């Protein structure tokens, strides 16, 4: 087999292993491909290829470490998961999000993937799958999921753009140098064909509730009075925001109780930054799953 085909085959195998969670096997394939590339003196993009493979290997090492050192807390039984769904969700989307908020990410993803078939829930389900991927793995896994959807035909261009517009600012904020490709709207394609190749499109209607990626709470009383603390928004259902607070940051929310009003909040969305108020809807400790011991803080947006 030609050496270039051998390298390509090794890289494809590495990606296949990585996608299935077989990180050591994937790393071995990347190392083998790297060794072969080192032997080719006249390869024009040799340095860039080796650098790209090195980044992949580093990412796999981080994931392997996370798996080996992560908590070994048990998952809830199916009966327990079903109880969460019935108690904390009014519709199928809220029930799936409730599972994620209580640390049952794998079951939540399964429920959310089923909702992708429903045009009403598809975009919100997609965004929450992205959130679950980031909660249990990494931003890289969320990026991989976006690319998978981009190559398929489940989402319309407009629906996928909504997910891209949500994920890209998170990628940027984390300092990751990756730009998600913009999906082509099927309507743009039709307009281009009907107008002799000149592309144009009508503006889409604005959503009632913006996607909130993070918030800054300025405490007006208590131990942290006058201090602003920023939190990532892990899940969102309409005007309800859910924050997963690490047990190491427990002191930040110790004094917050259900019904407390937060009157000075900075909301950050992919397209705007604005101030508003919210009320503490619920504060619970996660008792199982990979986030065991952490806290879920639900905030209901009152005004923006």
């Amino acid at each position: 087999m030609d050496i270039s085909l051998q390298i390509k085959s090794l890289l494809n195998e590495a990606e296949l292993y990585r996608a299935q969670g077989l990180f050591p096997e994937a790393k071995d394939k990347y190392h083998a491909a790297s060794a072969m590339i080192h032997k080719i003196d006249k390869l024009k993009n040799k340095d860039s290829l080796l650098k790209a493979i090195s980044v992949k290997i580093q990412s796999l090492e981080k994931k392997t470490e996370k798996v080996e050192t992560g908590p070994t807390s048990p998952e809830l039984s199916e009966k327990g998961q079903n109880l969460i769904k019935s108690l904390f969700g009014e519709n199928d989307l809220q029930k799936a999000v409730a599972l994620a908020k209580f640390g049952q990410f794998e079951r939540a993803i399964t429920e959310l993937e089923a909702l992708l078939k429903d045009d009403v829930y598809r975009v919100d389900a997609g965004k929450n799958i992205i959130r679950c991927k980031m909660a249990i793995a990494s931003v890289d896994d969320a990026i991989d999921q976006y690319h998978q959807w981009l190559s398929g035909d489940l989402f319309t261009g407009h629906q996928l753009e909504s997910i891209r517009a949500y994920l890209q600012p998170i990628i940027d904020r984390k300092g990751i140098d990756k730009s998600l490709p913009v999906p082509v709207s099927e309507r743009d394609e039709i307009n281009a064909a009907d107008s002799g190749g000149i592309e144009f499109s009508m503006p889409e209607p604005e959503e009632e509730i913006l996607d909130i990626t993070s918030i800054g709470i300025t405490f007006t009383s208590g131990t942290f009075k006058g201090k602003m603390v920023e939190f990532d928004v892990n899940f969102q259902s309409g005007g309800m925001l859910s924050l997963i607070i690490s047990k190491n940051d427990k002191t930040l929310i110790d004094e917050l109780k259900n019904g407390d009003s937060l009157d000075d909040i900075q909301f950050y969305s992919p397209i705007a930054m604005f101030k508003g108020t919210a009320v503490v809807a619920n504060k619970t400790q996660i008792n199982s799953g990979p986030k065991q011991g952490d806290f879920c803080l639900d905030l209901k947006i009152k005004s923006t």
Side-chain angles (χ1 to χ4, degrees), residues 8-230:
K8 186 174 182 179
S9 177
L10 284 168
L11 293 176
N12 287 336
E13 289 178 35
E15 281 300 302
L16 181 61
Y17 282 132
R18 186 201 58 76
Q20 294 180 9
L22 302 173
F23 302 146
E25 291 83 351
K27 197 165 71 167
D28 287 343
K29 295 296 181 182
Y30 280 128
H31 279 303
S34 179
M36 294 184 75
I37 291 171
H38 272 292
K39 296 177 182 177
I40 306 175
D41 296 327
K42 297 182 179 180
L43 189 61
K44 290 183 180 179
N45 59 337
K46 183 175 181 177
D47 289 340
S48 61
L49 277 174
L50 290 173
K51 182 177 180 181
I53 292 174
S54 176
V55 170
K56 290 277 189 181
I57 292 172
Q58 289 175 20
S59 175
L60 286 170
E61 288 174 344
K62 289 180 181 178
K63 290 179 181 179
T64 302
E65 182 181 357
K66 191 177 293 185
V67 170
E68 292 174 347
T69 61
T72 58
S73 53
E75 288 290 315
L76 282 178
S77 66
E78 183 176 356
K79 183 177 179 180
Q81 293 177 1
N82 289 337
L83 180 61
I84 288 175
K85 286 178 60 181
S86 64
L87 290 176
F88 297 96
E90 296 179 2
N91 58 47
D92 289 339
L93 179 64
Q94 290 180 7
K95 289 174 182 178
V97 172
L99 286 166
K101 285 158 51 178
F102 281 84
Q104 308 306 302
F105 298 112
E106 298 295 346
R107 173 74 183 274
I109 289 175
T110 300
E111 301 273 344
L112 290 165
E113 285 176 340
L115 291 177
L116 293 177
K117 301 173 185 176
D118 190 329
D119 191 58
V120 174
Y121 291 126
R122 184 171 300 132
V123 173
D124 284 334
K127 289 175 182 175
N128 281 296
I129 288 173
I130 291 293
R131 290 163 179 146
C132 285
K133 296 277 186 179
M134 290 190 289
I136 62 177
S138 67
V139 177
D140 284 338
D141 287 73
I143 293 171
D144 288 346
Q145 180 65 78
Y146 174 81
H147 281 283
Q148 182 180 327
W149 286 334
L150 184 67
S151 63
D153 57 5
L154 177 63
F155 290 85
T156 66
H158 174 61
Q159 289 172 337
L160 202 54
E161 171 58 21
S162 181
I163 294 175
R164 189 199 70 82
Y166 167 76
L167 180 56
Q168 186 64 61
I170 295 175
I171 294 171
D172 296 339
R173 193 169 69 247
K174 291 183 179 294
I176 300 172
D177 186 20
K178 288 186 179 178
S179 295
L180 298 175
V182 178
V184 177
S185 167
E186 69 276 16
R187 183 165 58 183
D188 288 344
E189 292 175 342
I190 294 171
N191 288 338
D194 291 344
S195 59
I198 301 174
E199 295 188 15
F200 68 94
S201 63
M202 294 294 290
E204 296 289 346
E206 293 185 4
E207 298 177 4
E208 291 184 9
I209 300 291
L210 289 174
D211 286 319
I212 310 299
T213 56
S214 62
I215 63 172
I217 300 176
T218 299
F219 291 91
T220 55
S221 62
T223 305
F224 296 96
K225 182 177 180 179
K227 181 178 180 180
M228 187 180 86
V229 181
E230 291 192 3

